[in-house]
Amino acid sequence: MKKFARFFLVGAVIIIFLSANASLAALEPDSVKSVWAKLAKTAGIDPSAPIAVVDQKEPNAWVSFSLNKYSITVTKGMLELLDSEDELAGVLAHEIGHIKLNHYGRTVTRSILWGLLFRKVGSSSGIDPLDIGYALAESGFSREQEVEADDYGIELAARAGYDPWGLVRALEKMKEAGYETSPSGFNSHPPTDRRLIHVRNKAAEVSTRY
């Protein structure tokens, strides 16, 4: 009887251990489709836009926009880092914020300007001017636009039924994994610590309404 009790206890511990690890498992690519569809419908944009999950270890997600059409890309590194659809919703809702707030129109204009500037001055630097121009253009949106997208994304995620703290937890995990933005005039994103303070305050405020 004692042997049976010990066997039962060990088995229960194993089940609990496996269950705990299952909850921390990487998100599946299908999660991107379902979460995006729910957020897009809530935001009033096309939920059937093309979605790609790329084999890249860095946690990242972005929307490509051209001729009024867009596609969504999420890296495997992002899916491996996050462990809940609430966190993924926070990330994707941020990207929808860039669409809804018309950041793409302003960014395209700025990208063209960078290209023209570095075509002119790059020839004497020994560096391909197009490489510099595109690198700066690809650095993303302005810090103000990133803050706007954070705020919009937290609100959108909550309206769609997700935890408004999802983006906060996603950014915290990125920082813990070593992915953070340092204070620098060349970074388009706000410094991570300052950004976390802002999104925590926003999530707390939104939580009182949903």
Side-chain angles (χ1 to χ4, degrees):
M1 187 67 179
K2 291 182 178 180
K3 289 183 179 180
F4 175 79
R6 285 198 298 269
F7 177 79
F8 180 81
L9 179 61
V10 171
V13 171
I14 292 174
I15 291 173
I16 293 172
F17 177 79
L18 291 175
S19 298
N21 279 274
S23 66
L24 298 175
L27 293 173
E28 296 294 328
D30 284 346
S31 296
V32 181
K33 295 180 181 179
S34 60
V35 171
W36 177 268
K38 190 173 181 179
L39 291 171
K41 183 177 180 180
T42 303
I45 64 175
D46 182 12
S48 62
I51 296 174
V53 176
V54 297
D55 189 10
Q56 180 179 320
K57 68 176 183 178
E58 291 79 13
N60 205 354
W62 64 91
V63 172
S64 300
F65 190 84
S66 177
L67 300 176
N68 294 322
K69 295 182 180 180
Y70 56 85
S71 60
I72 305 92
T73 304
V74 178
T75 67
K76 287 185 178 179
M78 179 66 81
L79 296 182
E80 291 171 356
L81 181 70
L82 306 182
D83 53 43
S84 78
E85 291 194 349
D86 289 312
E87 295 164 2
L88 179 61
V91 172
L92 295 180
H94 168 96
E95 297 304 322
I96 290 178
H98 285 307
I99 296 173
K100 294 292 289 186
L101 298 172
N102 193 33
H103 291 167
Y104 283 91
R106 284 181 275 171
T107 301
V108 168
T109 301
R110 189 183 65 196
S111 299
I112 293 173
L113 175 62
W114 277 118
L116 292 175
L117 286 174
F118 280 95
R119 278 176 186 271
K120 184 175 179 63
V121 304
S123 57
S124 61
S125 66
I127 303 174
D128 189 334
L130 288 179
D131 288 344
I132 301 176
Y134 288 134
L136 287 169
E138 288 296 320
S139 68
F141 306 100
S142 70
R143 295 187 183 189
E144 292 77 13
Q145 288 172 330
E146 292 297 340
V147 171
E148 290 173 358
D150 281 344
D151 288 348
Y152 181 94
I154 291 171
E155 289 271 3
L156 173 60
R159 285 195 289 117
Y162 293 104
D163 185 349
W165 288 88
L167 179 61
V168 177
R169 291 197 294 269
L171 291 174
E172 288 173 341
K173 287 181 178 179
M174 291 181 72
K175 180 182 178 181
E176 290 171 3
Y179 298 98
E180 60 180 318
T181 302
S182 59
S184 168
F186 293 101
N187 287 326
S188 62
H189 286 63
T192 297
D193 288 337
R194 186 188 307 167
R195 187 179 183 187
L196 278 170
I197 292 172
H198 180 83
V199 294
R200 284 170 184 150
N201 289 335
K202 181 65 178 180
E205 182 261 315
V206 171
S207 295
T208 64
R209 295 187 279 106
Y210 292 91

